[in-house]
Amino acid sequence: MPKTKVKSKAKPSRSSEASKAGSEAVDDYLKTIFQLSGREERQVASTEIAVQLAISGASATNMLQKLAATEPPMVLYRKHHGVKLARAGRKRALEIIRHHRLLETFLHQVLDYPWDEVHQEAERLEHFISERFEERIAAKLGHPEFDPHGHAIPALDGSLPGQDLQSLAQLGPGQSAKVVSVSDKDPAMLRYLAAQGIRPGVRLTLGEQLPFKGSWQIRIGRSTTPTLLSDSLAAAILVART
């Protein structure tokens, strides 16, 4: 009798082993790696990603291994050596960041959302808008370069302007600088800064650091009345010396 050929099970493709590049979880990983790696594009430890995304270290490692196994790879990962974005991962991260910051700007300028509410709304929407919708938003807004918090919006080609920034806390006493951007992660912090009149474009002068209290005296604009900012607030404000 002729032998019956037994078909071997096809191995899953490398790309099928990982989530698709457009999924929410993958987008969040890529965006987090991009933000943690900074301008110097340093290697990012899986533990840093786990802390940022509030997940276990094992979950972070598992996802990074999957992202490294896609075709083309989204990340370059070696266990115990950290992770960097591959070309495809960097491209996708910048697309999502562009979506996010355009949405924040649209919500703030067109729908009158306060700047402390736009981040969470944009987090929910950024994964789902089409490229056509993104371009319509950009055109409606006049192709803005910065979002309400002062963060640069990536151009269509993924480029970002080079900015020489430092935190307010890094200034010396008596030095002044212009606010360029503020962290958008904490709504309560944004409400406090707005109440003090601290926004991108405002000039701040650093005064003395108060002993034992972890606070700084600052002057806002031309005001001679000092305002107190905590160390964490001063670190969340990025400025440029001009």
Side-chain angles (χ1 to χ4, degrees):
M1 292 179 64
K3 292 183 179 179
T4 303
K5 291 184 178 179
V6 179
K7 291 184 178 180
S8 60
K9 290 184 178 180
K11 292 182 179 180
S13 66
R14 293 173 71 194
S15 59
S16 68
E17 293 175 356
S19 301
K20 291 182 179 179
S23 75
E24 293 179 62
V26 170
D27 287 346
D28 288 341
Y29 270 85
L30 298 176
K31 188 170 67 170
T32 298
I33 295 168
F34 180 87
Q35 292 169 340
L36 289 173
S37 64
R39 288 179 61 184
E40 65 275 17
E41 298 184 28
R42 66 174 178 85
Q43 297 278 130
V44 177
S46 59
T47 51
E48 293 179 86
I49 298 168
V51 169
Q52 192 75 12
L53 295 177
I55 57 174
S56 69
S59 294
T61 298
N62 183 53
M63 177 61 92
L64 293 176
Q65 290 171 339
K66 290 180 178 180
L67 293 175
T70 60
E71 188 57 54
M74 304 299 283
V75 302
L76 306 174
Y77 173 69
R78 283 197 304 156
K79 197 170 183 180
H80 306 307
H81 288 81
V83 63
K84 292 181 71 172
L85 291 176
R87 180 180 296 181
R90 178 179 170 81
K91 180 176 183 291
R92 179 60 185 172
L94 285 164
E95 287 174 357
I96 289 299
I97 291 169
R98 176 174 166 83
H99 288 180
H100 182 96
R101 294 177 180 174
L102 280 172
L103 284 164
E104 285 190 334
T105 309
F106 181 80
L107 290 166
H108 185 60
Q109 292 188 10
V110 178
L111 300 184
D112 297 324
Y113 272 65
W115 77 334
D116 56 283
E117 293 182 10
V118 296
H119 177 72
Q120 291 303 324
E121 289 285 7
E123 283 282 297
R124 287 187 280 268
L125 296 169
E126 65 189 15
H127 310 282
F128 306 113
I129 66 171
S130 67
E131 301 309 304
R132 182 169 182 265
F133 187 68
E134 170 211 307
E135 184 52 35
R136 293 293 293 270
I137 290 177
K140 176 71 174 178
L141 296 170
H143 300 282
E145 296 181 357
F146 300 94
D147 72 15
H149 311 106
H151 300 127
I153 299 172
L156 276 172
D157 63 2
S159 60
L160 282 166
Q163 294 176 293
D164 186 16
L165 307 179
Q166 60 186 131
S167 74
L168 179 63
Q170 292 175 308
L171 295 181
Q175 291 184 328
S176 63
K178 183 179 71 173
V179 176
V180 174
S181 66
V182 298
S183 172
D184 58 5
K185 300 295 190 295
D186 186 343
M189 183 197 78
L190 289 169
R191 288 192 292 272
Y192 178 80
L193 293 178
Q196 303 305 314
I198 299 175
R199 288 181 176 273
V202 171
R203 179 165 291 279
L204 303 178
T205 302
L206 194 67
E208 296 181 353
Q209 185 174 27
L210 301 184
F212 313 116
K213 292 190 177 181
S215 297
W216 292 88
Q217 287 185 336
I218 65 161
R219 286 187 288 109
I220 302 169
R222 297 184 179 181
S223 173
T224 58
T225 304
T227 298
L228 292 182
L229 285 186
S230 67
D231 280 340
S232 59
L233 275 177
I237 300 170
L238 295 184
V239 299
R241 298 286 305 279
T242 55

